[in-house]
Structures are given as structure tokens and as C-alpha cells.
Amino acid sequence: MTTVSKPQDPEANPRVKAVFDDIRMTRKSDFINNMWLYLAFDPHLLEKTWGEVKAVMATPSALDPLVKEMLYIAVSVTNGCSYCAHSHTAAAKAKGTTAQQHADLMRVVALAGKTNQLAVALQLPVDAAFDADAMSA
């Protein structure tokens, strides 16, 4: 159940059409997923969000595109976003992730969740060796 209705003809708005055209061109696909279809209820929010996603996920950087997708999966799982976990798992598979890599990723996510909870529960102080300011002094 959504909190907003999907616009009936989103591309009737030229701002939305421009974003959708850019998504199609950037992803080399005609598929516009629900994230973008529903965000079309607010063209400004759609433009801003797509711009940020394009800048981080579709622009070459120091991180490999598959690594970016795997990080997105891990954060999505941590944040409890089923939609993003599904979407970025599909994107990672399209970028060549294997079943073994996905299993390794799930093990890391599970372990990080456990050790994060233990560190929070124990209210552990940060070691000086991990403090960038302390290390540079």
C-alpha cells in the first residue's frame, strides 16, 4: 500500500519526461521503475533525487559499479528497505555478481549487524588507534 498515488500520465509533465528520458538514456533501458514513477508526483523531488542517484551510482568513481550496488544492498538491508534491497540486488546481478558473492555479502551484513549491536549494547569506547585525530597527533 503506497502513501501517494502514482501519477496517471507522468510524462505529460515536461520536467518528469526529461528525467525519465535521462533515466532511460543513462541505464540504456526503457524500464522506469516504481521509485521514479511514484516520485513523479513531485517533479522537483524527482529531479533532485535522480540527480543525486545519477551522480553517485552512474558516474565513474573510485568505486567499481558492482561494489556500489553491493554497498547499496547492505545499507538497504540495514535500513529495512525491501524495495531498495530488491532493486539493487537485481542491479548487482545485472552487473555480474555471482551467487557466491551475494552469499558472502549476506554474511558480512549479518556479521556487521551483530557486532554493531554488541558494540552499542556494551557502549564501547573507540580505541585511540581508530581515531584519525589521535593518529595524526
Side-chain angles (χ1 to χ4, degrees):
M1 181 175 350
T2 63
T3 60
V4 298
S5 296
K6 182 169 53 172
Q8 291 297 324
D9 184 15
E11 294 190 66
N13 182 310
R15 291 171 68 188
V16 172
K17 181 168 179 13
V19 172
F20 284 9
D21 286 346
D22 192 41
I23 291 170
R24 289 182 185 107
M25 183 186 71
T26 301
R27 294 184 168 170
K28 297 175 180 60
S29 171
D30 286 334
F31 180 65
I32 302 295
N33 64 35
N34 279 336
M35 175 64 81
W36 309 115
L37 289 171
Y38 279 84
L39 276 178
F41 87 96
D42 183 332
H44 176 75
L45 183 59
L46 173 69
E47 290 167 337
K48 185 169 177 51
T49 306
W50 169 246
E52 292 168 355
V53 168
K54 184 178 176 181
V56 173
M57 298 301 289
T59 301
S61 71
L63 292 177
D64 176 89
L66 179 55
V67 170
K68 290 181 184 183
E69 293 298 345
M70 293 175 86
L71 288 166
Y72 216 116
I73 293 166
V75 173
S76 298
V77 169
T78 300
N79 287 334
C81 183
S82 176
Y83 183 87
C84 292
H86 280 84
S87 170
H88 289 278
T89 297
K93 287 178 180 178
K95 288 178 174 58
T97 193
T98 65
Q100 187 174 14
Q101 287 173 317
H102 188 76
D104 283 347
L105 174 62
M106 293 299 101
R107 282 190 282 278
V108 171
V109 167
L111 178 61
K114 177 180 181 170
T115 58
N116 287 180
Q117 289 174 340
L118 287 170
V120 169
L122 296 170
Q123 292 296 292
L124 299 176
V126 175
D127 297 87
F130 303 149
D131 185 338
D133 288 333
M135 291 188 298
S136 65

